[in-house]
Amino acid sequence: MADLYGIIGCPVGHSMSPDIHNRSFKDQKLDAVYHRFHVEKDQLGAAVNGIRALGIKGVNVTIPHKENVIAYLDHVDKTAAEMGAVNTIVNLDGVLTGYNTDGPGYLESIKPFLTSPLSEMKCLIIGAGGAARGIYTALAHAQTGRIDVANRTKEKALAIIQEYDAAVPGRTLSLEEAECHLAEYHLVIQTTSIGMSPNINDQPISLENISEGTLVSDIIYNPIKTAFIKDAEQRGCRVIPGVGMFIYQAALSFRHWTGKMPDIQLMESVVLEKLGGK
């Protein structure tokens, strides 16, 4: 019987994780299958118990469960614990261990676009959810020059900075304050779900004050270019769509489950084919 893998989230119907993982299983000649599992917030504990009961070998975790799922796991990797969020679960004989590949995947995706060391860059993270925590921690490990976090609720942004005891300068901002200070940053990272299909015209903040040449990144990959990315392009910014992060975090999850690194170019081609992009 094929090994079973999947993704849990709410919503989860839009996820292309089954497409890339099932194609990668086939490419690696592994007898495995990957499914979507829609899990409401109040059913998360039951779903995690179901992973054990059904012998599901591995699971990705997406919005809104990345932080809350930790309470139901047996072990959490040190990096995921620092991030305060899990996006990958490995089931080894009923023992569930959580990992986070968001931050490392994000760093891999932006490397080709960096024209100066991260240690010399001022970065702004928009949002304070699980993905923001992962990216913040990865940037802190990479000794980024400055990392500010902007969120609708400043207290949640502050929690990210306080919970990770890093010797990296940073402050918390409201979204309105972030809009005013955009010209200060070399890298702006959009980590919320605002602008995701089908709400493709939405943006988390205005980019009116951003400087030309700023590196602007959005972790959303559907659509390939969000309204946020299109707006940044029109203002003369260099842009990084979310496909790269999606692919690299998925590849690192695949390696946690199977011990094998999948074909990155194959994964990218699957995503672009599904989205009708290039």
Side-chain angles (χ1 to χ4, degrees):
M1 186 172 70
D3 289 335
L4 181 60
Y5 297 86
I7 180 169
I8 59 174
C10 178
V12 77
H14 67 281
S15 175
M16 277 179 277
S17 292
D19 300 287
I20 61 174
H21 284 298
N22 284 323
R23 186 77 68 88
S24 296
F25 287 142
K26 184 177 180 180
D27 179 62
Q28 297 282 344
K29 296 180 173 56
L30 297 173
D31 187 16
V33 64
Y34 187 108
H35 290 288
R36 299 180 188 89
F37 298 104
H38 181 98
V39 176
E40 297 286 344
K41 285 185 178 181
D42 61 355
Q43 293 297 312
L44 180 58
V48 174
N49 287 334
I51 294 170
R52 293 189 182 90
L54 296 171
I56 298 172
K57 297 290 185 178
V59 171
N60 283 130
V61 184
T62 189
I63 296 171
H65 303 315
K66 292 184 179 184
E67 297 162 271
N68 293 335
V69 76
I70 290 175
Y72 302 101
L73 303 178
D74 301 302
H75 303 289
V76 177
D77 171 74
K78 180 182 177 181
T79 301
E82 287 179 344
M83 294 178 178
V86 161
N87 80 326
T88 302
I89 299 172
V90 175
N91 180 2
L92 184 61
D93 298 326
V95 177
L96 304 185
T97 302
Y99 299 88
N100 194 306
T101 66
D102 280 333
Y106 180 78
L107 287 185
E108 288 297 321
S109 74
I110 68 171
K111 281 181 181 179
F113 299 89
L114 298 178
T115 56
S116 58
L118 281 168
S119 60
E120 299 175 5
M121 298 179 70
K122 295 180 181 178
C123 300
L124 173 68
I125 296 175
I126 302 169
R133 288 173 181 271
I135 290 172
Y136 178 91
T137 305
L139 289 173
H141 274 300
Q143 299 181 324
T144 300
R146 181 184 186 90
I147 313 170
D148 293 347
V149 183
N151 194 56
R152 183 177 56 186
T153 306
K154 289 178 70 173
E155 289 77 11
K156 196 170 181 183
L158 181 61
I160 291 180
I161 294 176
Q162 289 181 332
E163 288 173 15
Y164 183 77
D165 186 19
V168 176
R171 59 181 173 175
T172 61
L173 303 168
S174 68
L175 296 180
E176 292 75 17
E177 289 169 336
E179 289 178 343
C180 295
H181 292 279
L182 278 178
E184 300 177 12
Y185 300 103
H186 304 104
L187 172 61
V188 176
I189 309 161
Q190 200 296 106
T191 71
T192 76
S193 60
I194 298 172
M196 183 185 294
S197 181
N199 302 310
I200 60 173
N201 296 317
D202 296 344
Q203 291 186 222
I205 64 171
S206 166
L207 296 178
E208 182 177 354
N209 295 320
I210 203 163
S211 297
E212 185 175 338
T214 302
L215 190 56
V216 177
S217 168
D218 196 327
I219 69 168
I220 292 171
Y221 62 88
N222 186 10
I224 295 175
K225 287 188 176 181
T226 60
F228 187 76
I229 287 293
K230 290 178 179 178
D231 189 9
E233 259 187 330
Q234 290 172 357
R235 296 177 188 275
C237 299
R238 296 182 299 125
V239 300
I240 310 175
V243 170
M245 176 183 173
F246 174 58
I247 292 166
Y248 275 103
Q249 63 82 22
L252 295 175
S253 292
F254 190 97
R255 188 171 66 181
H256 277 302
W257 297 327
T258 69
K260 298 181 178 183
M261 195 68 176
D263 184 329
I264 298 295
Q265 291 184 329
L266 173 65
M267 284 187 157
E268 182 178 27
S269 68
V270 172
V271 174
L272 295 179
E273 179 183 319
K274 290 287 291 185
L275 293 175
K278 298 181 180 180

